[in-house]
Amino acid sequence: MHCPHCGKPIPEGSVACPHCGAALAPPAGSGPHGPRPAARTMVGVALPDLLRQSPPTAADPRGAVHGGAALPPMAGAPGAASRTIVGMPAAVFGPAPAPPDPRLAGGTLVVGTPPMTGPGARLDAAAAQGAPPLDHTVPLAPSIAPGRAPAPPPAASRTLVGVARPGIAPLAPGAPAVFDSAPDPDLEARYQPAAELGATMAPIRARVPALRNPALMHPQRLNLKHRLGPLPPPRKRARTSRRAVAVVAAGGVLALGAVLFALLWPSAPPVTARARADAGGREVIELRCETCPDGTAVAVGEGRATIAGRVAHIPLASPLSVGENQMKVAIDRPGSGRDETVGVSIHVAYRIRPDLGTLQGERPSIQVVIEASKGTQVVLDGKEVALTSGRAIEAIDVTEAVTGLSDETKTLSRQVPYTVTPPDGPREQGMVSVAVGIAPLVVEAPGPSVVIDKESFVLAGRTARGAQLFAGAHPIAVRPDGTFAHVMNVSSVGATQFEVRAKMQGMAPRIAKIAVRRVDRIDTAAKEFAARSPLGYAALAAGGADLIGKPIALSGEVLETRRQGYSTLLLLSVSPASGCKEGGATAASAGAGLRAPGACKVRLVHGAENPAQRGDVLTAYGTVAPPFAAPDGVAIPEVWVEFTQKGAR
């Protein structure tokens, strides 16, 4: 036969392998004391069988433990067939034990016997043949002599209830087990050798590692989970490097600093916007984009503009409100540039803007609308403005600026200074600028003032194309070329005055005031005119802008006459009776000519059909007009004629 452990041949009947020393099981169903009785088990393990020791055999003549005599078999011991571990035949554990020994009373289960210790084999012999060393010191009996072995760890003498393993031997069956966490100081004094399954059980000094689970020192406190479950694997204690901790901390500080720098460091925004007024006085958004090339299209609502030099002025459909205004700006960069929509905040602390809506009123005026927060002080054109609910309107009358005839478009310009002092900010100064065109208007007939002895006269003149014309409240038709002519009726004798107003979209109106007087006779009008103390030629020749519009009466000879539209132009040589000191008409008739430097010539403009002919002597009544520039550059005095009377006065 061969050894089941090392595989080498062994002689028949051997109970231990002569090569490896392993114990060999006897034939099944037999033992050294005859047939084995039926198994007596406790939870699958027959403790009395395990407590018995086999007598030394021939294969192991050294059956005595440490020089002592082997214990005799225990009386009345059951056969080997009764030693089973949960159904396993007890034969695998060796021959039947000896009769019970009264010295082994107590039955303390011990842990740590190696399973390869066979019948008749000594522990030191097994170690000599390469058996693994024991990991616990095993106490076997309470009567060990002192000094044999050190006290084992408390966990080595605990009983695992109901579990029997090979190499676990109860030493005192029947005795109650004592579970005490404190070590027994008399354990070695009570030590007695014992043999179980052919092995000599003795305390072996072995290196016992410290228990990693302190709970195992107190098995009576373990629950089922601790007793049956495997111990958790030991955790390796990680080594902490101070340098690594310092590096990680420094990296965290740098990362935090970078985040705070990015969040808190002030940087110029890529797009900024503010409200301002353009050259025409309209409110616009001045948008500045540092990353937008020229040609970039920007839009705010319906307002659109193109960036030039990083700046664009976007018109607004309606003015912004005072305070914060959140707006979206659509940016369309040319080519493959990035298109985006950004939000901008426009803060309006106050607003002072002109309103031209009242220019078309009865008395044309420019309104200055003031909006400011509560507590703001506003001074406009040197006068403090009282705000009501943060709003005030100041009107500037411009009637005089738009009154008078002009054959060309003039510009109405106003500069109104202001000073604003917010309650929580510095004082600001500025200028409200207004510049708007005035519609042209020329009244050829009847002129600024007219005296008639008939019931009608003709209102004729010209204005801008597309303009509207009103005589008082009555509209006057305007031809496509801008000329007009309308017969006006005067129902009764007396004086009246009306306005002719030319209106045009986006421009200030032009107003001409016309005075009309109907008389029953021209002689009556001449007498009444003399009561106004009219000027003579001497004052007219002296010139001066302050004379324009003042009454004047001149007599003389008609040198030339011409019709121009609905008016009549006459060149009059003033007589000495009217103040001419250089011969007047006499010099002209003597051949000096109309262009003689010394001739007292006056240009008469009569806004009606005048029947006078060349050489007629007549008296003209009217008002002083600005001088007329002749083609040769000579300035000729001019008079707007109200009426004429034949003969000298």
Side-chain angles (χ1 to χ4, degrees):
M1 60 182 295
H2 294 76
C3 177
H5 301 281
C6 64
K8 296 181 179 181
I10 56 177
E12 293 291 339
S14 299
V15 295
C17 178
H19 303 286
C20 62
L24 301 178
S30 64
H33 302 285
R36 299 168 181 163
R40 294 186 300 270
T41 64
M42 176 183 292
V43 194
V45 180
L47 288 178
D49 294 342
L50 297 179
L51 295 175
R52 306 296 184 268
Q53 290 182 333
S54 300
T57 61
D60 188 10
R62 298 172 298 173
V65 181
H66 295 284
L71 296 176
M74 303 178 77
S82 65
R83 296 191 299 272
T84 63
I85 298 178
V86 192
M88 296 179 58
V92 297
F93 296 101
D101 191 339
R103 295 171 301 174
L104 298 179
T108 302
L109 277 176
V110 295
V111 181
T113 304
M116 66 286 296
T117 304
R122 294 187 57 177
L123 296 179
D124 53 356
Q129 298 182 12
L134 296 178
D135 57 353
H136 296 285
T137 300
V138 183
L140 298 179
S143 58
I144 305 299
R148 287 295 187 97
S157 62
R158 297 299 176 262
T159 301
L160 302 180
V161 179
V163 180
R165 301 176 185 174
I168 301 176
L171 303 181
V178 178
F179 297 96
D180 191 1
S181 58
D184 188 356
D186 300 330
L187 182 59
E188 292 191 7
R190 297 193 303 271
Y191 171 78
Q192 292 293 334
E196 155 64 14
L197 304 178
T200 301
M201 309 298 289
I204 304 297
R205 297 183 180 275
R207 180 174 55 86
V208 181
L211 293 178
R212 300 189 181 277
N213 192 349
L216 294 178
M217 299 295 293
H218 307 278
Q220 70 274 17
R221 301 178 185 176
L222 294 177
N223 54 22
L224 184 60
K225 179 178 178 180
H226 290 130
R227 282 174 293 177
L228 300 183
L231 294 176
R235 292 187 300 175
K236 295 183 178 180
R237 191 172 186 181
R239 295 183 177 180
T240 303
S241 174
R242 293 185 177 181
R243 179 176 297 178
V245 172
V247 170
V248 172
V253 171
L254 291 177
L256 179 60
V259 172
L260 294 178
F261 179 84
L263 294 178
L264 302 180
W265 184 261
S267 59
V271 179
T272 59
R274 65 169 184 166
R276 58 165 299 176
D278 62 1
R282 296 172 301 177
E283 187 170 328
V284 298
I285 294 178
E286 183 181 81
L287 185 73
R288 182 175 294 275
C289 179
E290 299 298 336
T291 62
C292 298
D294 291 351
T296 300
V298 292
V300 176
E302 299 297 330
R304 300 180 180 275
T306 302
I307 287 182
R310 303 291 189 268
V311 178
H313 295 91
I314 306 174
L316 290 174
S318 59
L320 300 176
S321 60
V322 175
E324 291 291 336
N325 296 267
Q326 303 294 332
M327 312 191 77
K328 296 290 185 180
V329 180
I331 301 177
D332 184 5
R333 293 178 173 85
S336 59
R338 183 179 77 258
D339 299 338
E340 59 182 335
T341 299
V342 300
V344 295
S345 178
I346 303 176
H347 178 73
V348 180
Y350 65 90
R351 175 184 290 106
I352 300 178
R353 60 181 178 85
D355 183 6
L356 304 181
T358 55
L359 278 177
Q360 307 301 331
E362 184 67 21
R363 291 190 63 84
S365 63
I366 297 174
Q367 287 187 340
V368 178
V369 181
I370 304 169
E371 297 176 283
S373 58
K374 185 178 180 181
T376 303
Q377 182 184 21
V378 180
V379 177
L380 184 67
D381 200 14
K383 300 178 181 179
E384 184 173 354
V385 179
L387 299 177
T388 303
S389 300
R391 183 181 174 89
I393 298 177
E394 291 293 318
I396 301 174
D397 195 329
V398 294
T399 303
E400 295 298 328
V402 300
T403 300
L405 300 177
S406 176
D407 59 352
E408 61 183 5
T409 302
K410 299 292 184 178
T411 300
L412 174 63
S413 179
R414 288 290 184 272
Q415 300 288 330
V416 184
Y418 67 84
T419 301
V420 177
T421 306
D424 53 354
R427 184 177 63 177
E428 298 185 18
Q429 295 180 343
M431 192 78 67
V432 179
S433 300
V434 177
V436 60
I438 306 174
L441 176 62
V442 174
V443 178
E444 298 176 354
S449 179
V450 64
V451 176
I452 60 175
D453 56 356
K454 300 177 182 179
E455 60 182 11
S456 65
F457 65 95
V458 176
L459 175 64
R462 65 182 181 274
T463 183
R465 295 180 180 182
Q468 295 177 319
L469 190 69
F470 295 86
H474 302 286
I476 303 297
V478 179
R479 299 185 183 102
D481 60 353
T483 62
F484 59 92
H486 187 77
V487 177
M488 305 291 293
N489 294 321
V490 180
S491 60
S492 61
V493 175
T496 184
Q497 187 177 27
F498 66 95
E499 290 182 351
V500 179
R501 183 174 301 207
K503 294 183 178 181
M504 197 167 185
Q505 184 67 29
M507 301 182 72
R510 172 67 70 176
I511 301 174
K513 294 182 178 181
I514 299 177
V516 177
R517 182 183 179 194
R518 180 182 174 183
V519 295
D520 54 355
R521 295 181 59 178
I522 294 300
D523 294 341
T524 304
K527 293 177 181 179
E528 293 177 353
F529 193 87
R532 295 165 59 184
S533 302
L535 300 175
Y537 179 78
L540 181 62
D546 57 334
L547 299 178
I548 297 175
K550 290 187 176 182
I552 188 172
L554 299 174
S555 298
E557 181 183 350
V558 177
L559 300 178
E560 187 176 347
T561 179
R562 185 177 56 160
R563 292 291 303 272
Q564 181 174 321
Y566 292 90
S567 62
T568 303
L569 300 179
L570 300 98
L571 184 62
L572 182 68
S573 176
V574 180
S575 66
S578 296
C580 181
K581 304 299 183 182
E582 300 179 5
T586 304
S589 60
L594 294 179
R595 295 180 177 83
C600 300
K601 295 176 292 187
V602 176
R603 185 173 185 258
L604 304 178
V605 179
H606 190 191
E609 184 178 353
N610 195 309
Q613 298 295 323
R614 181 178 180 180
D616 291 345
V617 177
L618 59 77
T619 302
Y621 301 88
T623 58
V624 179
F628 172 76
D632 58 358
V634 178
I636 300 176
E638 183 172 288
V639 175
W640 290 328
V641 177
E642 295 183 8
F643 64 97
T644 60
Q645 187 181 21
K646 285 186 178 183
R649 63 170 186 163

